[in-house]
Amino acid sequence: MRLILLGPPGVGKGTQAQILMEEVGAIQLSTGDLLRSVARESTAIGREVKRHLDAGELIPDDIILEMIHEELMKLGETSLIFDGFPRTVPQAEGLDHLLEEMSLCLDHVIELTIEPGEVVKRLSSRRSCPECGAVYNLVTAPPVEDNVCDSCGHAGLIQRDDDKPEVIERRLEIYHRQTAPVAEHYRETGLLRVVDGAGSLEEVSDRIRRSIKLMAD
Ligand code: AMP
């Protein structure tokens, strides 16, 4: 199964991808995670990617498509949940092309929606563990012990540079200009399902399950 999760930054794509991947036995392919690991390398490309990430800007389509191509070659028939990709119409078209070349198909595209004010609230309270990458929300999903990672015990959770208020606004503007049209691309192919991303993690994951028929209506 190959499934795309679309939606604005902070809507919960990463968290829902993790819930779903355990259930359907898929791997989460997050371009944001791949890029953050490239940005930690002290290479020219690492520095270029870091500059874009810190500014909340999209990484050029050719770099992203090359990265996805490599991952698809490695993963072959493995079931996948794309998280944070495609983010532009050329990326969506590039993915169509890659999948066709590899005789693979897309099964579902889910767009999670949310009020803009809620996005800002969620992003500003998001913290992550610099050691293992576990993600928390200080309001809705805090760690058991204040500022300590539940998964690996590291003390000192951090706020991503691109979750700071001045960058959030820029990311949302880019989302509306460049990523929102991706949903239209998939509406035209008949694959798009729009799911309300408001409410608790369980409420949203139940809506997703129903939309892809993992659960009865
Ligand atoms: P995310 O973790 O999905 O919120 O992504 C964090 C940042 O990584 C974004 O703000 C972009 O700078 C970059 N990024 C992630 N995925 C893509 C993509 N598909 N195309 C371009 N840039 C991306």
Side-chain angles (χ1 to χ4, degrees):
M1 182 190 77
R2 262 160 239 92
L3 178 150
I4 292 177
L5 276 176
L6 295 175
V11 74
K13 299 184 294 294
T15 313
Q16 292 300 335
Q18 284 191 352
I19 296 176
L20 211 56
M21 74 180 197
E22 281 167 24
E23 241 166 82
V24 298
I27 285 182
Q28 175 189 15
L29 188 49
S30 155
T31 40
D33 285 349
L34 289 173
L35 291 164
R36 278 184 286 279
S37 97
V38 172
R40 282 195 285 271
E41 294 165 8
S42 43
T43 57
I45 180 84
R47 281 186 288 275
E48 188 192 338
V49 166
K50 182 167 183 344
R51 193 169 46 78
H52 286 295
L53 288 183
D54 289 351
E57 290 164 0
L58 295 188
I59 277 60
D61 291 337
D62 52 344
I63 298 183
I64 298 290
L65 283 168
E66 182 57 40
M67 210 165 77
I68 291 291
H69 188 193
E70 269 176 36
E71 293 298 316
L72 287 178
M73 299 284 280
K74 261 191 274 173
L75 295 166
E77 302 273 324
T78 313
S79 289
L80 288 179
I81 300 177
F82 293 98
D83 158 18
F85 170 86
R87 255 179 160 96
T88 64
V89 171
Q91 288 181 18
E93 291 168 348
L95 177 65
D96 291 345
H97 185 70
L98 285 174
L99 290 174
E100 197 182 318
E101 257 182 15
M102 300 173 78
S103 306
L104 299 172
C105 65
L106 261 184
D107 301 279
H108 305 285
V109 179
I110 293 175
E111 181 188 25
L112 291 173
T113 58
I114 189 110
E115 295 287 314
E118 185 60 24
V119 163
V120 177
K121 244 192 277 167
R122 287 192 189 181
L123 287 177
S124 9
S125 48
R126 180 158 73 178
R127 296 292 181 276
S128 58
C129 173
E131 280 299 309
C132 72
V135 180
Y136 300 90
N137 184 294
L138 298 183
V139 182
T140 55
V144 175
E145 193 182 334
D146 199 23
N147 211 24
V148 175
C149 178
D150 292 349
S151 305
C152 74
H154 176 84
L157 301 178
I158 55 165
Q159 184 175 38
R160 274 167 45 176
D161 280 339
D162 62 347
D163 281 345
K164 304 213 162 127
E166 59 282 12
V167 187
I168 290 178
E169 210 163 301
R170 176 152 179 70
R171 290 171 67 200
L172 287 175
E173 185 269 316
I174 291 175
Y175 174 78
H176 289 296
R177 190 161 35 87
Q178 294 190 267
T179 310
V182 173
E184 283 315 306
H185 175 86
Y186 292 113
R187 198 186 303 278
E188 282 164 21
T189 64
L191 282 175
L192 185 75
R193 300 282 172 273
V194 179
V195 170
D196 182 4
S200 68
L201 291 182
E202 293 73 25
E203 283 167 335
V204 178
S205 54
D206 279 353
R207 285 183 207 127
I208 295 179
R209 285 186 195 102
R210 279 197 272 301
S211 81
I212 61 173
K213 309 285 177 219
L214 288 177
M215 187 171 149
D217 288 329

